[in-house]
Amino acid sequence: YRTFGAIPTWEGRVDAHTGEVVGFRDTNAYTRVTGGIYPRTVQDQNEIVVPFPAVGLTNDGAAESTDNAGGFSYFGGTVSTGLNGQWFDTECVSCSDPVQPQIELDFGAGVLDFGTGGQDGQGNGLSTPADRNTFYHLNQIRRVAKKWLPNYAWLDTTIRSFVNITATCNAYYDGDVNFYRSGGGCNNTGEIADVITHEWGHGADLNSRSGDGATGEGTADVVAMHLSHSPLVGPGFQTDGDPVRNIDPSGPRGLLTTTNISEKCPAIGSLGPLGYEVHCEGEIYGQAAWDLAQALVAKHGYHTGWRTSERIFFHSLHDAA
């Protein structure tokens, strides 16, 4: 069995005749890179310790990368890593303890654990929460997309992830992904899975055949939806727990259409092709995607329904296939 949030898999052996415990051990085959992440948002009750895939490391002088289970071959000697890898490089901005995520060992079973804890730019001695969360969730969304788009060249490029930027209440994509610290009524955006996958979604949109600002925001929301299976985009973005958006047509905004958009969306800020704020206008696309996913789940069941929705969505990215 495993205890919540911990890596060991415990095995107990009991003599069937006497009831005596004759063995108790951790059955995991170690040599892994691990660390604590929030499954979805900084306001999750606890961090859980997970293996990190595609981490680049130096293993007894040779370059190596962890597999999808965070594993690597270790036969002794010095092994070290930061949270940089095949597809994503982590850059902590103005951080301390440490300045950049880093761990090294030269003894033991070969477990490189970036640990848990830390806050904004103040790490736990090995990493900050935003270092760990962005690296893990970015690799997860890339793996989902790669399943459907094996020949999409952009997926095989390396993207930098800048975390703990000294600003608040935002994140953005500019060829790299960028996340802000907590403050101003907002949590750290590099610790919220939906925000992380949303910003990656902008890259998927812009590196296929992008449309406009509104469809770009809609695309990014639908990317996040396919990881969370929820219409709430970015719960915990605000410190009161509120999400950034709710793309369920039965939610607070109600059904959004081209005919009622003037009643529901402001005509300020960055404007979409209909003349309204791009995030709000993009909810037309997001609501349609949520309704389609729910119809597919109703018809085919939860797992097949969501898998079918994933396939339709990712194959809809022009030039990506």
Side-chain angles (χ1 to χ4, degrees), residues 25-76:
R25 66 185 181 117
D26 177 5
T27 62
N28 284 357
Y30 283 105
T31 66
R32 286 184 177 177
V33 177
T34 63
I37 58 104
Y38 297 112
R40 188 167 180 201
T41 180
V42 61
Q43 293 184 322
D44 290 339
Q45 186 173 5
N46 294 295
E47 290 182 84
I48 61 171
V49 177
V50 296
F52 287 156
V55 179
L57 45 82
T58 301
N59 189 353
D60 202 20
E64 193 174 342
S65 181
T66 63
D67 59 24
N68 283 337
F72 63 97
S73 301
Y74 180 64
F75 303 102

Side-chain angles (χ1 to χ4, degrees), residues 160-321:
R160 291 179 299 175
S161 174
F162 291 90
V163 301
N164 295 312
I165 295 170
T166 50
T168 63
C169 296
N170 211 344
Y172 63 94
Y173 174 86
D174 62 356
D176 299 310
V177 283
N178 303 266
F179 304 97
Y180 290 2
R181 300 187 183 199
S182 62
C186 302
N187 284 307
N188 188 309
T189 54
E191 299 174 19
I192 304 169
D194 293 11
V195 176
I196 296 165
T197 54
H198 173 99
E199 297 307 331
W200 178 93
H202 280 301
D205 175 62
L206 292 169
N207 287 279
S208 51
R209 185 185 299 162
S210 60
D212 52 67
T215 57
E217 294 298 340
T219 296
D221 282 353
V222 176
V223 165
M225 179 195 83
H226 278 104
L227 265 288
S228 68
H229 295 178
S230 167
L232 302 181
V233 181
F237 182 90
Q238 298 179 27
T239 53
D240 62 6
D242 282 352
V244 182
R245 278 178 294 285
N246 182 343
I247 59 173
D248 188 340
S250 64
R253 193 186 299 283
L255 178 66
L256 183 63
T257 69
T258 57
T259 56
N260 70 11
I261 192 169
S262 63
E263 304 165 16
K264 296 178 178 287
C265 292
I268 58 174
S270 298
L271 304 181
L274 299 178
Y276 298 92
E277 196 277 327
V278 290
H279 296 85
C280 188
E281 195 172 302
E283 287 186 41
I284 295 176
Y285 180 16
Q287 288 187 359
W290 175 252
D291 272 354
L292 174 60
Q294 296 314 289
L296 291 167
V297 167
K299 182 176 178 62
H300 300 294
Y302 184 86
H303 296 290
T304 301
W306 274 109
R307 181 179 173 86
T308 304
S309 181
E310 271 184 27
R311 175 178 57 80
I312 292 170
F313 169 68
F314 283 105
H315 283 177
S316 76
L317 295 175
H318 294 289
D319 295 344

